[in-house]
Amino acid sequence: MKEQESSDTRPVFELRPIGVIRSVLTSRRDAPKQGSEGAPDAWIEIDPSLVEGLLGVAPGDEVIVITWLHQGERDTLQVRPRRDPRNPITGVFATRSPDRPNPLGLHPVIVRTVEGARLLVGPMEAVDGTPEVDIKPVLC
Amino acid sequence: MKEQESSDTRPVFELRPIGVIRSVLTSRRDAPKQGSEGAPDAWIEIDPSLVEGLLGVAPGDEVIVITWLHQGERDTLQVRPRRDPRNPITGVFATRSPDRPNPLGLHPVIVRTVEGARLLVGPMEAVDGTPEVDIKPVLC
């Protein structure tokens, strides 16, 4: 934790990517809004230094992948959901918009394959190159 | 994004708290492991500069609160789940351990009350003072 140099005195936490999404989706415009809307499977390439953290992750597992939506606009506080002008203006904390103060993405997926430090998961709507920051099991 | 000074060349993303948890739970030792295990309700105090982002968040909503588990140990890659020696050693990405490279916590909760920039939510197992970094609606 360190202090920011600006007048904003909130602390800053340093998030480091644990891996990266490798997908056939290359543009945010072309990607489905949610994985359940026809998204493909995607590979997650985990940093080799963290592969021990995958012990116990197995095909068939339901997990939540957390990404850093690096194309998100961090100063956006209100949106029209799905960019549809018919939808009312809504606070970003009541939406899944990638535009939000901390552009974290939550992706519930199924693990298809585990190959060393690579996982095939799906469905995954994040675009190719999206940094990944955590994986957690789904709890009932 | 900036580069770290160490030999680790992974980029760093700057996560800023959007608020803080105010809870009767004050010690990680005393807190339930999951909200569903008897955790109390807790207040979330949102930064006043971000209150516009709450438009549309209402009592009864099911949301996922994302916290920064500031007491987590970031160099831990394997644990015995629930700190129980009878459990096998497991990679942190197959567990919900707060000890993990990026100590993000996911908390599915119900919104009980909204009062300006304060939300009462529950059940919430995070301890008092835990920084909060995002709120998202649950999608079916």
Side-chain angles (χ1 to χ4, degrees), chain A:
Chain A
M1 190 191 306
K2 63 187 174 71
E3 298 301 315
Q4 286 178 277
E5 291 176 7
S6 75
S7 60
D8 185 340
T9 57
R10 287 181 290 161
V12 171
F13 307 118
E14 296 193 342
L15 203 59
R16 295 179 198 120
I18 66 164
V20 65
I21 305 291
R22 292 301 173 203
S23 173
V24 296
L25 298 173
T26 55
S27 139
R28 178 172 156 181
R29 181 178 301 268
D30 298 334
K33 299 279 193 220
Q34 305 297 333
S36 57
E37 298 173 12
D41 289 351
W43 286 98
I44 300 175
E45 294 177 358
I46 300 291
D47 191 282
S49 69
L50 303 177
V51 69
E52 285 179 37
L54 293 175
L55 181 66
V57 177
D61 287 356
E62 293 181 55
V63 300
I64 296 178
V65 170
I66 309 181
T67 57
W68 183 257
L69 300 169
H70 57 306
Q71 298 181 20
E73 294 171 8
R74 302 188 67 173
D75 54 358
T76 298
L77 289 177
Q78 297 188 335
V79 295
R80 291 191 191 269
R82 307 186 74 89
R83 298 180 179 235
D84 185 332
R86 294 168 297 185
N87 285 331
I89 289 184
T90 306
V92 292
F93 302 129
T95 80
R96 292 263 184 157
S97 171
D99 301 322
R100 55 203 309 118
N102 291 307
L104 294 167
L106 297 187
H107 313 269
V109 297
I110 306 289
V111 176
R112 316 286 193 196
T113 308
V114 181
E115 288 182 2
R118 282 167 27 114
L119 306 177
L120 184 67
V121 303
M124 170 57 77
E125 75 278 19
V127 301
D128 187 65
T130 301
E132 163 163 14
V133 296
D134 205 359
I135 304 174
K136 293 177 188 288
V138 170
L139 285 191
C140 298

Side-chain angles (χ1 to χ4, degrees), chain B residues 2-23:
Chain B
K2 63 185 173 69
E3 298 300 316
Q4 285 178 277
E5 291 176 7
S6 74
S7 61
D8 185 340
T9 58
R10 287 182 289 161
V12 172
F13 307 119
E14 295 194 342
L15 202 59
R16 294 179 198 117
I18 66 164
V20 65
I21 304 293
R22 292 300 174 203
S23 174

Side-chain angles (χ1 to χ4, degrees), chain B residues 1 13 27 33 39 105 107 122 131-132:
Chain B
M1 190 191 306
F13 307 119
S27 139
K33 299 280 193 221
H107 313 270
E132 163 162 12

